[in-house]
Amino acid sequence: MKVARRVARLVLQRLALVAVVGMLWWYAASQLPSFVLPGPERVAGALVDLLQKDSFLHDLGATLSRVLSGFVLATLVGTPLGLALGGNRALARFFEPVLAVFNTVSSAIWAIFAIIWFGISDATTVFVVFMTAMPLILTNVWQGAQTVEQQYVELARSFRQSRLQILLKISLPSILPHFFAGARLAFGFGWRVSLVAETLGASDGIGYRLRQAADLVQSDQVFAWTVLLVALMLALEGGVLKPLERWLFRWKAL
C-alpha cells in the first residue's frame, strides 16, 4: 500500500507540474505572435500532422541509426583505450593532454571539419557523434580502471586465476559503473550533437527537418519536433537505460 501511495503521489505531482507548465505556456503564447511562440493547441496539431507524414519514420530512423553508429564506434574505441590508460600510468601521462584537447573542442567545430572531409552524408553526423562520445567513454573507463583494488588482483594471481577470470570477477565490477555512467552521458550528448550535425551536413533526419522548419519560420513544427524529441529521450531513459542499469547492478542490492 505504501508503495502504491508513493507512486500515486509521484504521478499526481508530475501531472500538476505538466498542468502548470501548460498554463504558463498558453498564457505566454496568447501574449505573443504565433510565429514567436505558438500555443499548445497549435503545436499539438503540428505534432499530429508530423506523425502522419510519410517521411516521419524515415527521418526518425535516419537520426537514430547515425546516433547509434557513432555511439557504438565510440564504445568500441573508447573502452579499450580507457582500459589501456588505466593500466599504464606512463601511457596515461603521455596521452592526457590529447584527451584534454578532445574534451574541449566544440561539437560545432567537429561538424565543420566533418562537412569538409565527408560532405553532405551520414558519415558527417556519425563522425561528430563519435568525436563527442568517445572521450567521455574513454575518460570514465580510465577512471574506473584506476579504482580496481590491486590487492584483490594480486590475491587472484596467487590463486593462479587467468587474466580473463581476473577481468570478469574483479576488474569488471569496478569498471562497469563508471563505464555505464560515461555511456549514458555520451549517448545523451551524442543525441544532441547529432541534431547540430544534421542541420549543417544532412539531407534528411530530425536536425534537417528542424532547420527546414526554422528557415520557413514554422515555429509550430520546431516545437512539435522538440516535444517529440523530449518524449523519445524520456522513453529511452525510463524504458531502456534505467532498467538496464538496474539489471547490470542488481548485485549491489544483494
Side-chain angles (χ1 to χ4, degrees), residues 203-215:
S203 58
D204 57 4
I206 296 175
Y208 171 77
R209 296 302 176 188
L210 282 169
R211 186 192 68 189
Q212 194 177 54
D215 290 342

Side-chain angles (χ1 to χ4, degrees), residues 22-123:
M23 290 178 64
L24 291 174
W25 180 9
W26 175 82
Y27 176 76
S30 66
Q31 305 300 313
L32 295 170
S34 60
F35 69 88
V36 175
L37 182 63
E41 68 285 349
R42 190 183 180 105
V43 173
L47 183 59
V48 171
D49 293 339
L50 185 67
L51 295 173
Q52 293 176 344
K53 287 184 177 179
D54 296 334
S55 61
F56 169 72
L57 290 178
H58 171 76
D59 290 321
L60 182 62
T63 298
L64 281 174
S65 65
R66 291 163 186 159
V67 173
L68 289 175
S69 298
F71 177 75
V72 170
L73 285 174
T75 302
L76 294 176
V77 174
T79 300
L81 287 179
L83 292 172
L85 295 183
N88 190 315
R89 292 184 179 180
L91 193 66
R93 285 195 297 268
F94 182 80
F95 282 103
E96 189 172 5
V98 178
L99 186 59
V101 171
F102 281 143
N103 282 322
T104 54
V105 174
S106 169
S107 58
I109 296 177
W110 290 126
I112 294 172
F113 281 130
I115 292 172
I116 295 173
W117 294 334
F118 306 113
I120 307 299
S121 66
D122 289 351

Side-chain angles (χ1 to χ4, degrees), residues 220-244:
D220 53 345
Q221 293 286 328
V222 174
F223 273 78
W225 276 114
T226 303
V227 170
L228 181 67
L229 286 170
V230 171
L232 183 59
M233 287 304 297
L234 290 176
L236 287 172
E237 180 75 17
V240 178
L241 297 180
K242 284 186 177 180
L244 180 61

Side-chain angles (χ1 to χ4, degrees), residues 17 31 34 86 129 132 136 145 164 182 188 203 218 224:
L17 178 61
Q31 305 300 313
S34 60
V129 173
T132 302
L136 294 171
L164 180 60
S203 58
Q218 296 174 332

Side-chain angles (χ1 to χ4, degrees), residues 160-176:
R160 297 183 179 180
Q161 297 286 308
S162 66
R163 289 186 176 181
L164 180 60
Q165 289 175 318
I166 293 173
L167 176 64
L168 294 177
K169 296 180 180 180
I170 299 175
S171 301
L172 192 60
S174 298
I175 296 172
L176 198 57

